[in-house]
Structure formats: C-alpha cells, structure tokens
Amino acid sequence: MAQTFDAANAPFDRLTPQEAAAVEAALDIGYFRPGETLIARDRAPDSLFVLIKGCVEERDGDEIVALRGPGDCFDSRALVQGGGSHAFVAREETLCNLAPRDLILKLINQNDRFAAFFYREISRKLEAAARDQEAARLSPLLGARVRDVPFHAAVFVAADDSIESVGHKMRAAKTNALFVRDGERVGLLTGMGLAKATIFERRPIEASVADLARYEIVSVDADDFVSRALLRMTKHNKRRVAVRDGGEYVGVLEDIDLLSFIAGNSQLVAARIDRAGSLDDLGAAAGAIESQVRMLRRQGVRIEVVAEIVSDLNRHLFAKLFAMTASPAVRERGCLIVMGSEGRGEQTMRTDQDNGLILAGPVDEQELKAFRVAFSGALERFGFPRCPGEVMVVNPQWSKPLADYEGDFRRWLVEPDEAAQMNVAIFYDAEAVAGDAELLGRAKRALIDALRGERAQLARFARAVDAFPTPIGLFNNLVVDHERGDAVDLKKGGVFPIVHGVRALALERGLLETGTAARIARLAEDGGLSHELARELTQALRYLMTLRLDAQLAAASGSLVKPAELSTMERDLLRDAFHVVKQLREVVRRHFNLAMF
C-alpha cells in the first residue's frame, strides 16, 4: 500500500472513486539515491512517478530544465508515447509512489477526462481546468437550500377583503402573489388572478377575493434543496411555489428568483440603474455591482462572462450618470468613453476611474466645467477612486474637442517618454459609452493613421512588454516576492504582458477590436499569431484573470497570489500560463526587434 497518496491531486482527481481506489491499491514505493536516474532519456518508464519526498531534476541533456518537488507527477508523456526527450534524475534522497504503466494506460483508455491530462496542450489543459472548476462550483449551488434564495416574504389577506384593497396591498408589498385566509384553509392569489377577474370576468372591484385564490398550494420547505423547488415547478407547471418553515407559510418562491440565484441577478441591477431618479438612487445601484461579482463567481460563472456582465453594468451606470449630469449641449455634441480594462471589457472588481469625453466642437465652458465636476465627483462617491494619472473626465486633458485629441496623437508620437506611450495604450483601448460614438471612431482612425509605418515608434510602444519580469525561474519554479508575503503579482507578471503584447501587435495592424481576446482572434486570422499560440494566450489570460479575481474577493489583495496556498494542479497551470507569457514576449521581441532599443 502506498504512503501519502492523495487522490485529490491532479491527475488523479479526474478518476472515479473506484478507479482511484484501484490506483492506490496498485501503487508501489520507490527509493532513489542522489544522482540515480529514475527515467532515462528516450526510454519508456514502467510507472508514472508521484514524488513523495525529495527533489528530482528534469534534464535535457546536461541542462536542467525543471525541478520536481513533493506532489509532482512525471513523466506522463514518456509513459504514453513510449519514451521522452528528457531524463529524470534524483537530486537528493527521493521517495516516489509508482503507478504501474499498464494500469495508467487502461485508465486513459476508459476515462476521457483522465486522458485529457496526458494528451492536451497547455490551452486545452487550462480550458479543461476551467470547466472542472465551473462544474465543481455549480454542483453545490444546485444543492443549496431554498432558504438561501431571496424569496418574497409572505403577505396575508382575508377571504372577504375586496379586490380593490387586495390590489393595493399587493402593490404596496411589491409582490405578485399573496396568501388568502379563508377560515381554516389558506390559498394563493396572484396579480394575474386579480386582472382576469376584473378584465375578463368583469367583477366589481368591491367583490371579495374568496373564490379567486387557489387553495391547492404547491409548496416546498425552507430546508429543501433548490433542485427540489425546480422539480416541483416543472412537475406541476407552476411559475411559483409557496415556502413553508415549521409548518407555516413564510413566503413565495418564483421562477425569476431561482433564475436570479442560479444565473446571477444582473438584469435586476440594470433595472435599478434604469429606474434611478436621483444620484442617491444611482449610487445605491452602483453598490450592488460588486455583490453581483461575488454572486457570479460563487456560482462558478466563467471569468470572461463575469467581465462582460460587469462591463455592461458599469457602462449602463456611466451612461445613466452622463444623462443626469451633462447639459443638453454636452450630450448632443459629446461622446463619453471608458478606457483601460473598462474599455477592453475585462474589468471585474472596481478600480480607478478611466474615462474621458470627446466633443465634436467647443461648448460653453461653464457647462463643460459643471459636467466634469459633477460626473467625476459622483463616480468617486459611488466608490470609483480617482485615477492616479488623472485619466478622467474632470481633467480637461481628457475632456475636449476631437481636433485637440488629434493634436495630442501627433505630439505623443514625437515624445519618447513613458507617459506618451501610456496615453497611446489608454486611448487605443477606449470604448464609447454614451453620445456620438462616431467621434471615437474618427479619433481611433486618426491614431492608427498617425502610427502607420512608424516602426520605431511602435517598437518603443511595444517594449513595455518587458516592464516586469515573468515570475518563472531557471528550473521552472515560481519566483515569489518574499517582501510581499511569498506571493507573485499576477497582473505584472502575466496579465499586463499579454494585454500589452497583443495590443502592440494589434495596433501595428490597425485593428479596431478592443478586447484582448478579440484582438488575439483577429491576429490569428490575419497571421499575426499562430493559431496554437492564440489558443494558449486566450486560455492563459482567462486563468490568470480568474486567479486574480479570486484573490481580490478573498482578501482584497489586488493581484497577489501565494503559490503555497494553491493546489498542485493550480500551481502547474500557473507555471504553464507564465510559460505562454514568455512565448508571447519572445514573439513581440523578435517582431519589433526590441534588442535594438
């Protein structure tokens, strides 16, 4: 029997309980002295190795390409293909679990998810991990209890109450269904029932509601699973069920409540934004966006969908605020834009303001000043911090006529400083939110035209891809920042290099797509990136953004994640993602000949 075998570690977490038990029963223990070869180059191993204790060098000839530590498994490629190009040598005294080759091959043949671990390239491994994580999060969601769902509290009326009075109570309680007491029995009455009685049956509004209620109530208990409520609605063809707790009716659960709980309630937040009649109302709706992010992530919604929903809600919010704070002249002659991750549609948690205004021509200066102050001030009160670089509407440099922006583009090209390059990046990521979107279209075309053929300028722009090192060491280890709690910075080490490297390649080709994933897809179509690298970049970016969001939600730690707190599989995927980042850096360096700068 093997020691310290953990079936929850990849790839064994993809096995059924019976398959995992078979592996554990077949495992042997191997002891290896320092310098001893575990797997020779070009030789088919007899086992899949799972390191228990010690350290193993993965060698390409005399070069050490990686170090394997406890929990790591190797060499799946050699095992499947009958030999590999790397050798594995014990660096120190080492203990390994040995999984027989024949058993592993048998499991690969009968378990597709297990096989995927061995055959898929990085992008497919990352995609598979995302699907597994989504399924793992969604399963407990459907296993949640009815009491976890925000349902409507019970409202009771008497059977002899009039249709008119009940209608008023229903509206006051903001519910579409209430309970009717008729002696010992209780019925359920809906707004549709009231409407049919008055419109189609022409009952007087003074008539009682006694015979309008349905007294055969379909109900669930507050401690029932959400899945049971869904089944009850489906079986009885009902849009709502009553909720009992301790034998008493405590509320009504509607299909829209379940939909909001399972899929998130972004449509409800958007409705709150639309209904806002004051800045206070709008601020309250803005506050609901962050809780929406937490709900979506808790429910296992994939990161690209979370980002899309959050971006849509934020843009909805900005457009409403623009309508509330801008004078008619500013609204008619202006285009409100968002930039940075907000413009790319990759925003998840609330960060600094990155917005601006493009005007078709001059407007009254006092009206413009009033709008600048009101708009940026309201966003700050809503919880959107001021941008440290002052890239926001309140700054006159980012709220002015189109002709002035076009002058800026020409100036940015002759100024080699980092601020000018950053301004190009920020504006290239802009997206129209409200007003005349054609103004932004004209501005972007002017920026692209100004850069067309300017190889030196584009190279200076692209070299920011090397602004931060990739946190992967010589031996494939994750390089942590000890001063920041043994953490790695996902944004600096991974997200930014992908975003900026892709942005530089897209800008050179004059692409008008704004989101990074969309730019990657277009670059692959146009031959700017290989299809394989494009797939891996897309999946790596999604994985890094997912880890970053989870870190932000867990401890408001920004972009920092501690590898020691990740699972073995998560660390492996993080290393894979950073290797994809390194590939992109090399592509950008060669393409723009950055060694010359």
Side-chain angles (χ1 to χ4, degrees), residues 86-259:
H86 292 175
F88 292 81
V89 179
R91 169 174 277 206
E92 56 191 50
E93 286 190 335
T94 297
L95 283 178
C96 290
N97 275 320
L98 309 177
R101 178 175 183 269
D102 290 344
L103 176 59
I104 296 300
L105 293 179
K106 176 183 176 182
L107 293 173
I108 287 174
N109 288 329
Q110 71 185 35
N111 185 320
D112 291 339
R113 292 180 63 245
F114 188 65
F117 179 88
F118 297 95
Y119 288 114
R120 286 175 174 156
E121 67 269 26
I122 290 174
S123 64
R124 300 192 187 278
K125 285 165 65 179
L126 288 166
E127 186 175 13
R131 286 199 303 269
D132 288 347
Q133 183 185 55
E134 185 172 351
R137 290 176 182 268
L138 190 57
S139 294
L141 171 66
L142 291 177
R145 307 289 179 174
V146 170
R147 65 171 70 254
D148 297 326
V149 182
F151 56 79
H152 301 271
V155 177
F156 288 85
V157 297
D160 57 0
D161 283 350
S162 68
I163 292 176
E164 181 181 20
S165 65
V166 169
H168 285 300
K169 287 181 180 179
M170 192 174 286
R171 184 173 63 178
K174 296 180 180 180
T175 184
N176 196 43
L178 39 72
F179 294 94
V180 178
R181 292 190 188 277
D182 186 16
E184 296 296 321
R185 62 177 185 165
V186 175
L188 196 63
L189 177 61
T190 67
M192 181 59 71
L194 288 179
K196 286 181 178 179
T198 55
I199 297 174
F200 297 114
E201 299 175 14
R202 296 186 177 277
R203 298 195 186 194
I205 60 175
E206 296 82 12
S208 74
V209 297
D211 62 341
L212 299 182
R214 295 183 179 273
Y215 293 94
E216 294 179 357
I217 298 178
V218 178
S219 65
V220 294
D221 194 84
D223 286 323
D224 282 341
F225 290 115
V226 167
S227 55
R228 176 171 171 76
L230 283 170
L231 289 173
R232 298 282 284 172
M233 286 182 182
T234 303
K235 181 178 180 180
H236 295 279
N237 193 26
K238 298 290 185 182
R239 294 186 56 194
R240 60 185 60 82
V241 290
V243 180
R244 287 177 175 269
D245 192 5
E248 300 292 331
Y249 289 113
V250 295
V252 176
L253 178 65
E254 301 201 20
D255 53 2
I256 190 64
D257 300 324
L258 285 177
L259 178 62

Side-chain angles (χ1 to χ4, degrees), residues 418-439:
E418 292 183 3
Q421 305 301 326
M422 183 61 68
N423 287 340
V424 171
I426 290 170
F427 199 91
Y428 185 50
D429 289 348
E431 188 73 20
V433 170
D436 185 2
E438 177 55 25
L439 289 171

Side-chain angles (χ1 to χ4, degrees), residues 249-449:
Y249 289 113
V250 295
V252 176
L253 178 65
E254 301 201 20
D255 53 2
I256 190 64
D257 300 324
L258 285 177
L259 178 62
S260 297
F261 182 70
I262 293 172
N265 61 348
S266 55
Q267 73 277 20
L268 303 181
V269 178
R272 289 184 65 182
I273 292 172
D274 287 337
R275 291 196 306 267
S278 66
L279 291 181
D280 287 341
D281 291 342
L282 196 57
I289 295 176
E290 183 171 334
S291 61
Q292 171 70 5
V293 174
R294 295 182 181 277
M295 176 179 288
L296 290 170
R297 190 63 194 130
R298 186 182 70 235
Q299 295 173 356
V301 177
R302 296 180 68 165
I303 190 67
E304 62 269 29
V305 179
V306 175
E308 182 178 357
I309 290 174
V310 172
S311 294
D312 286 345
L313 289 175
N314 281 344
R315 292 174 188 182
H316 211 57
L317 175 75
F318 301 151
K320 180 73 171 184
L321 182 59
F322 181 68
M324 284 182 162
T325 56
S327 68
V330 172
R331 291 198 301 272
E332 291 167 8
R333 308 203 68 191
C335 174
L336 181 69
I337 61 175
V338 290
M339 294 170 278
S341 59
E342 197 76 71
R344 297 191 305 273
E346 295 161 7
Q347 185 68 271
T348 50
M349 296 296 288
R350 185 175 300 167
T351 56
D352 305 333
Q353 295 184 41
D354 280 309
N355 47 56
L357 179 71
I358 306 174
L359 294 166
V363 298
D364 181 80
E365 186 60 32
Q366 292 303 314
E367 290 184 20
L368 181 57
K369 182 177 180 180
F371 164 68
R372 288 169 175 161
V373 173
F375 185 86
S376 295
L379 283 183
E380 193 170 1
R381 291 195 301 275
F382 294 171
F384 292 85
R386 292 175 66 92
C387 173
E390 294 294 306
V391 181
M392 48 188 179
V393 161
V394 75
N395 182 356
Q397 292 301 313
W398 291 98
S399 55
K400 57 190 179 185
L402 172 60
D404 292 347
Y405 279 105
E406 292 172 339
D408 284 342
F409 301 157
R410 293 187 290 271
R411 178 172 55 80
W412 293 344
L413 294 183
V414 299
E415 293 180 355
D417 58 56
E418 292 183 3
Q421 305 301 326
M422 183 61 68
N423 287 340
V424 171
I426 290 170
F427 199 91
Y428 185 50
D429 289 348
E431 188 73 20
V433 170
D436 185 2
E438 177 55 25
L439 289 171
L440 175 61
R442 290 164 58 188
K444 278 202 176 184
R445 289 191 290 272
L447 175 63
I448 290 169
D449 289 343

